[in-house]
Amino acid sequence: MSIRTKRYVLLPLIMLALMAACVGISRVWTSGSTNASENQRPHISIMANLHTAEVPSDTIEKIIEEKTGTQLSIQWVPDGSYDEKVYASIATGTLPKVLYLKNAASLSYFKDEIRSGLFWEIGPYLDSYPNLSALKPEVLKNTTVDGKLYSLYQERALSRQGIIYRKDWADRLGLSAPDSLEELYEVLKRFTFDDPDGNGLDDTIGLTDRNDLIYGAFKTISSYFGTPNNWGWYQDSLQPEFRFPKYMETMKFFRKLHEEGLINRDFPITSKKDQQELFITGKAGVYVGAMSDVLSLEAKLKANDPDAVLDVHNRVRGPNGYGVWATQGYGTVVLFPKSAIPTETELKEVLAFYNELMSAELANYMYWGIEGEHYTVQDGKAMAVDSYNLREKDVKPYQALMIGGPSTIDGMLQPVTRNEAKDKAERLILDNENFLINDPTVPLESARYNEIGVRLEENMRDATYQFILGMIDEAGYEAQVESWLEEGGAQIIKEFNESYRSSTPLYNSIPRYNQEN
């Protein structure tokens, strides 16, 4: 039993009250039917995260039961108390057959429980289920523990990153979407100095950015340069991204932008709200981040300038061609407790149920609801009905039960998009999957990283900003890297490489993003 589990065993009576409250607003675990034919159907109990104010109606649940030939007992637990309920269920031996973790981050905190043998290893079974076998190998790899697969995952886009820019400004200056880093610099320079808004004033900048080296502009542009995603391979050894020459080139690029005034000078202390404010008020022409933000940015921008036009772009060629950093590709995972599934036969029944959930028919029921009641189909795409309460009551909670997603479920309906830039953004998000840069350490382990990794990363983040702002030079930056190594970084490198070498052959297929110059 892990330290975290022991902590919940010792919770006072208030914890028991919370558990009772969770059960009180959830549907019962056991089936209320005594019909003999129903008792012959597989019974599947599920604990799921509730993101809405109320437990949903059983409209979609009954459809799922009918289509899959199962009896379902879904325990909906409010998001705010979900982790507590999970650990309390472990401590009291009351886990369901299917356990959803709260979110992607929960998996990293749950590895001790997985290693303890509480859950089935499902990797050897997936090839027997055609829909489950469509899950992406690179994402499944990211969910493994010690080289073994225990979970299914809910899909999230692997990379939404790209460029949102003022197309009306570009057209006025005779510029096209930048195909290279050199062209990107040229766009930022001319958006700053060539009066792109035509008002005769020197009041614009090229790039608006914020105090976030990951979800701001830095990491995406760094991936254009060819920098690895957090960690990469250098001379057959895993090394952190900031030890690679491409990371230094990215810092020099941003230092140049800062020195020349092509970026908001206070970006290291700028919030996301203020970053977007510069864009929607016409002070900046380029926003680097999630391309899906284009819909909200355009609506706010047009409120200030009805003639403004936005476009999105994702392919910026660097020294190694195209590249963009990838997320882990999942929102949460599903585990299968051995205490509730004692036999392999029962495990296969549950996996067969999830194989059916990944059919287009059931995926559309869970995501969209009932055609004609919750949505209509227009030109092969889904348009949700204009009834927020109906969707919240009947459909939205069941989206939390889905496995896979649009890129792994053939025939799952896409939403109707009336905005041209948003529609293009969705296409480019899929296009990003042609040149992803993955983090090879996601499925690996380093005890030292778990202890001090976040603090050491903060030190390197500060050093990055210091270099960009001209507070330190290359020698000063290298001194910070040496401090990182001395304070525990060298041990982290050692442990990640040991974890890689000791892992199963599954990891032999991890693509190496080599950067040796």
Side-chain angles (χ1 to χ4, degrees):
M1 185 178 296
S2 74
I3 293 174
R4 287 186 301 277
T5 304
K6 290 178 181 176
R7 176 160 57 91
Y8 286 100
V9 174
L10 300 175
L11 284 176
L13 291 177
I14 192 171
M15 182 67 238
L16 296 178
L18 175 61
M19 291 170 60
C22 291
V23 173
I25 69 166
S26 307
R27 268 193 282 281
V28 295
W29 284 87
T30 56
S31 171
S33 172
T34 58
N35 184 284
S37 62
E38 287 189 357
N39 290 336
Q40 294 174 359
R41 296 186 295 164
H43 173 260
I44 298 176
S45 54
I46 298 172
M47 185 190 294
N49 202 348
L50 182 66
H51 295 280
T52 55
E54 298 179 2
V55 173
S57 72
D58 62 359
T59 302
I60 303 302
E61 182 177 339
K62 289 184 178 299
I63 292 173
I64 295 172
E65 287 182 323
E66 179 185 353
K67 298 290 184 180
T68 61
T70 58
Q71 300 178 69
L72 296 179
S73 297
I74 303 174
Q75 187 179 31
W76 298 102
V77 180
D79 180 74
S81 57
Y82 195 78
D83 281 341
E84 288 85 354
K85 177 60 179 174
V86 169
Y87 282 110
S89 296
I90 292 174
T92 56
T94 56
L95 286 170
K97 289 186 177 182
V98 178
L99 175 66
Y100 286 77
L101 296 188
K102 181 173 181 175
N103 52 39
S106 298
L107 180 60
S108 63
Y109 296 111
F110 216 69
K111 289 184 178 180
D112 287 345
E113 283 70 30
I114 293 173
R115 291 190 179 101
S116 72
L118 284 175
F119 303 98
W120 281 93
E121 179 191 355
I122 64 169
Y125 300 96
L126 291 196
D127 285 344
S128 300
Y129 303 94
N131 292 332
L132 297 182
S133 62
L135 293 170
K136 297 178 180 179
E138 64 270 30
V139 179
L140 289 172
K141 238 181 286 183
N142 289 340
T143 71
T144 56
V145 178
D146 301 332
K148 296 180 180 179
L149 181 65
Y150 296 87
S151 58
L152 304 176
Y153 70 85
Q154 288 181 359
E155 179 182 312
R156 294 294 183 271
L158 283 162
S159 180
R160 298 181 183 274
Q161 305 307 304
I163 296 171
I164 302 173
Y165 69 99
R166 289 290 298 267
K167 188 176 186 301
D168 55 327
W169 287 12
D171 290 345
R172 184 176 289 118
L173 299 178
L175 297 169
S176 58
D179 181 61
S180 66
L181 284 162
E182 293 76 17
E183 291 182 8
L184 175 60
Y185 169 78
E186 184 66 18
V187 168
L188 299 181
K189 185 174 182 178
R190 296 194 62 186
F191 275 8
T192 303
F193 296 116
D194 287 4
D195 191 24
D197 56 2
N199 68 357
L201 302 175
D202 181 17
D203 60 352
T204 61
I205 57 172
L207 177 64
T208 178
D209 199 14
R210 65 180 186 265
N211 58 349
D212 189 334
L213 290 178
I214 298 175
Y215 295 102
F218 184 86
K219 190 173 182 69
T220 297
I221 291 178
S222 188
S223 64
Y224 296 159
F225 273 94
T227 307
N229 182 0
N230 298 328
W231 288 73
W233 291 95
Y234 185 80
Q235 295 179 348
D236 207 36
S237 174
L238 283 167
Q239 297 288 331
E241 62 183 353
F242 51 78
R243 300 197 77 188
F244 287 73
K246 301 301 183 185
Y247 192 92
M248 175 59 72
E249 291 181 30
T250 307
M251 289 196 299
K252 290 180 178 178
F253 182 81
F254 272 80
R255 186 169 182 161
K256 183 177 182 180
L257 297 183
H258 188 263
E259 289 173 345
E260 296 181 2
L262 311 189
I263 187 174
N264 49 310
R265 293 189 180 276
D266 60 348
F267 79 92
I269 57 171
T270 298
S271 67
K272 182 177 181 179
K273 178 182 179 182
D274 290 340
Q275 173 204 20
Q276 293 188 344
E277 187 72 13
L278 287 171
F279 193 75
I280 63 179
T281 56
K283 302 301 182 184
V286 174
Y287 177 95
V288 178
M291 291 184 286
S292 51
D293 287 345
V294 69
L295 185 62
S296 61
L297 289 174
E298 184 176 77
K300 295 172 183 177
L301 175 62
K302 281 185 172 293
N304 296 315
D305 182 357
D307 296 325
V309 179
L310 294 185
D311 202 356
V312 290
H313 183 64
N314 70 323
R315 289 184 174 239
V316 177
R317 189 184 305 276
N320 302 326
Y322 298 122
V324 65
W325 66 278
T327 66
Q328 298 178 21
Y330 61 92
T332 191
V333 299
V334 185
L335 296 165
F336 306 95
K338 290 181 179 178
S339 60
I341 309 176
T343 68
E344 183 182 49
T345 299
E346 290 184 65
L347 174 66
K348 290 180 177 179
E349 286 179 347
V350 176
L351 291 177
F353 167 75
Y354 273 93
N355 185 68
E356 292 186 67
L357 283 193
M358 276 193 69
S359 68
E361 180 185 25
L362 285 177
N364 287 328
Y365 274 118
M366 287 189 292
Y367 193 87
W368 294 107
I370 300 171
E371 184 178 355
E373 183 175 345
H374 301 105
Y375 74 97
T376 59
V377 176
Q378 300 178 16
D379 298 324
K381 294 185 176 183
M383 169 66 76
V385 299
D386 189 20
S387 176
Y388 176 81
N389 291 333
L390 184 61
R391 295 196 306 274
E392 287 278 305
K393 175 185 175 184
D394 290 344
V395 183
K396 185 176 179 180
Y398 290 94
Q399 295 174 0
L401 300 184
M402 293 186 63
I403 294 300
S407 73
T408 51
I409 301 176
D410 186 25
M412 184 176 172
L413 290 170
Q414 297 294 304
V416 171
T417 306
R418 294 194 176 102
N419 182 280
E420 183 178 346
K422 179 64 163 60
D423 189 57
K424 182 178 179 181
E426 294 302 322
R427 296 196 306 271
L428 297 188
I429 287 169
L430 291 177
D431 183 58
N432 275 348
E433 297 191 12
N434 291 306
F435 41 86
L436 295 170
I437 305 173
N438 293 294
D439 179 353
T441 64
V442 169
L444 305 182
E445 281 294 314
S446 165
R448 192 63 173 149
Y449 179 84
N450 294 338
E451 294 171 1
I452 64 171
V454 173
R455 176 176 63 80
L456 292 186
E457 285 175 351
E458 289 175 351
N459 293 342
M460 294 312 303
R461 178 200 62 196
D462 293 344
T464 298
Y465 281 130
Q466 289 168 4
F467 183 88
I468 292 171
L469 297 178
M471 299 168 65
I472 59 175
D473 57 12
E474 288 190 49
Y477 183 80
E478 290 303 323
Q480 292 297 319
V481 174
E482 288 302 316
S483 294
W484 181 89
L485 291 168
E486 293 170 1
E487 293 175 15
Q491 182 66 21
I492 293 173
I493 292 173
K494 180 174 181 289
E495 290 177 354
F496 271 137
N497 280 278
E498 287 176 347
S499 178
Y500 177 84
R501 288 192 294 271
S502 64
S503 54
T504 69
L506 173 65
Y507 292 125
N508 292 334
S509 61
I510 294 178
R512 296 189 177 188
Y513 195 78
N514 288 297
Q515 293 296 319
E516 307 227 359
N517 50 53

